[in-house]
Amino acid sequence: MGHAPQHRIDSPFGAKSTATDVLAGIDLSGRLVVMTGGYSGLGLEATKALTAAGAHVVVPARRPEVAAQALAEVPNTEVDELDLGDQASVAAFAERFLSSGRDIHYTIDSAAIMANPYTTVGPGWESQFGTNHLGHFALVNRLWPAIARGRGRVVSVSSIGHRRGGIHWDDIDFTHGYDKWRAYAQAKTANALFARHLDRLAAPQGVRAFSVHPGGILTPLQRHLPKQEMVDLGWIDADGNPVAAFKTPEQGAATQVWAATSALLEGLGGLYLEDCNIADLASEESTIMMGGVRSWAVDPAEAERLWDLSVERTGVNAF
């Protein structure tokens, strides 16, 4: 069950491929997907592509009425209520789902908040870590009986944002000065480390896990950013148009769908993916916008330490 190294493989897909391209010729009839964030931005495009290929997609949402509206025209979808920032809500959703007796073949953790003003969730957890990481950590562990029966894959949506820094071990909740980007980096590093350690624990039971960077895309995720900041970051021009390197939402949804379904990943796991491929390890000199994954986001010792901290915080551990 060893990990393949973090380097590119021969994939027929790339940065410009769409979720629909990736699923061409793949029949997902009878397969069930649970996807957080499956009703807006990239998640919505992934839901459309997966259902078009025959899958049934369960979309747990913090705002079920908004999700139901967004998915009204998308067949084979169902909406339930889930607030990732509220551990009781995670437990309640998992209990409802498990009571249906169904198996989960693909779990895609796509929902996220980004660079929001400082807030806390639960017992004082910094909100980006508490929602993006601890919410999904508890969700997957609580749904584990159904995930294990499905013998499929878990996909954790990370981001190139992880490259701004790893886990802030001495002050995970930023109680001594909040930096919204550093906190986002920590949460997205956590998403990658979660997949790394989950894969180690889950592989013996026939389930594999991956993390993905979807690419740069303008979606509702940017809701907390003023336009000028996005211009300064080099994401949009003065007229508000995304820069050429940015992807469409259809292209941005491709890597998570590829991670869930590609036959090229059979027998692999715990890897960080980008542009429908395995990412290379980033060199120390590379800039924030260059591709690749930083060592701190795939380090097995960091991954195990984070797992233990997450168990301690949430009180949940399927293993």
Side-chain angles (χ1 to χ4, degrees):
M1 288 297 172
H3 284 289
Q6 270 298 152
H7 58 66
R8 293 173 66 80
I9 56 173
D10 191 19
S11 166
F13 305 110
K16 299 294 182 200
S17 303
T18 65
T20 304
D21 296 337
V22 164
L23 289 171
I26 296 179
D27 180 9
L28 297 177
S29 305
R31 306 259 120 184
L32 186 140
V33 184
V34 171
M35 178 156 43
T36 65
Y39 65 100
S40 81
L42 311 184
L44 178 57
E45 296 307 326
T47 298
K48 287 176 180 171
L50 289 162
T51 54
H56 179 78
V57 182
V58 177
V59 180
R62 190 168 55 84
R63 298 167 301 164
E65 58 298 332
V66 176
Q69 210 175 340
L71 296 167
E73 304 298 307
V74 187
N76 298 324
T77 55
E78 84 187 69
V79 171
D80 199 338
E81 188 174 355
L82 168 69
D83 178 354
L84 287 163
D86 176 355
Q87 289 279 318
S89 171
V90 175
F93 166 74
E95 202 171 312
R96 285 193 303 276
F97 183 87
L98 291 175
S99 70
S100 76
R102 294 177 291 175
D103 301 349
I104 299 173
H105 303 97
Y106 309 109
T107 308
I108 303 178
D109 297 334
S110 189
I113 54 175
M114 178 176 82
N116 49 292
Y118 181 75
T119 48
T120 60
V121 295
W125 303 334
E126 186 278 315
S127 63
Q128 297 189 73
F129 185 80
T131 304
N132 300 353
H133 168 61
L134 292 173
H136 283 123
F137 176 87
L139 179 67
V140 169
N141 277 278
R142 288 188 181 280
L143 289 174
W144 183 250
I147 294 171
R149 289 195 308 268
R151 297 181 70 81
R153 294 180 190 167
V154 176
V155 180
S156 180
V157 178
S158 177
S159 164
I160 199 169
H162 83 273
R163 299 180 53 157
R164 292 173 186 268
I167 306 296
H168 214 260
W169 292 112
D170 56 351
D171 185 16
I172 279 179
D173 296 308
F174 289 83
T175 51
H176 307 301
Y178 178 65
D179 176 329
K180 66 184 182 181
W181 286 115
R182 190 66 189 72
Y184 182 66
Q186 168 172 269
K188 293 287 118 179
T189 290
N191 289 149
L193 290 174
F194 168 62
R196 177 83 194 198
H197 200 68
L198 174 65
D199 186 74
R200 196 176 132 189
L201 298 171
Q205 296 183 49
V207 175
R208 302 310 297 255
F210 297 92
S211 60
V212 306
H213 164 47
I217 311 103
L218 290 181
T219 71
L221 191 60
Q222 281 87 1
R223 69 179 76 88
H224 295 291
L225 300 183
K227 180 180 165 189
Q228 190 54 49
E229 184 171 358
M230 292 198 277
V231 173
D232 295 344
L233 284 165
W235 293 358
I236 57 174
D237 63 22
D239 299 323
N241 302 307
V243 296
F246 267 49
K247 299 183 180 190
T248 65
E250 295 83 357
Q251 292 166 341
T255 303
Q256 63 208 59
V257 169
W258 184 77
T261 61
S262 175
L264 292 174
L265 297 170
E266 279 305 317
L268 301 176
L271 298 164
Y272 174 100
L273 315 175
E274 65 187 3
D275 295 341
C276 300
N277 210 314
I278 297 171
D280 288 316
L281 267 180
S283 69
E284 296 307 310
E285 301 75 64
S286 64
T287 67
I288 203 93
M289 291 311 280
M290 289 162 76
V293 60
R294 287 287 192 193
S295 57
W296 59 68
V298 288
D299 181 309
E302 288 283 284
E304 186 165 16
R305 185 178 177 189
L306 177 69
W307 187 277
D308 293 343
L309 172 110
S310 307
V311 171
E312 197 178 301
R313 287 197 167 195
T314 63
V316 184
N317 189 3
F319 301 88

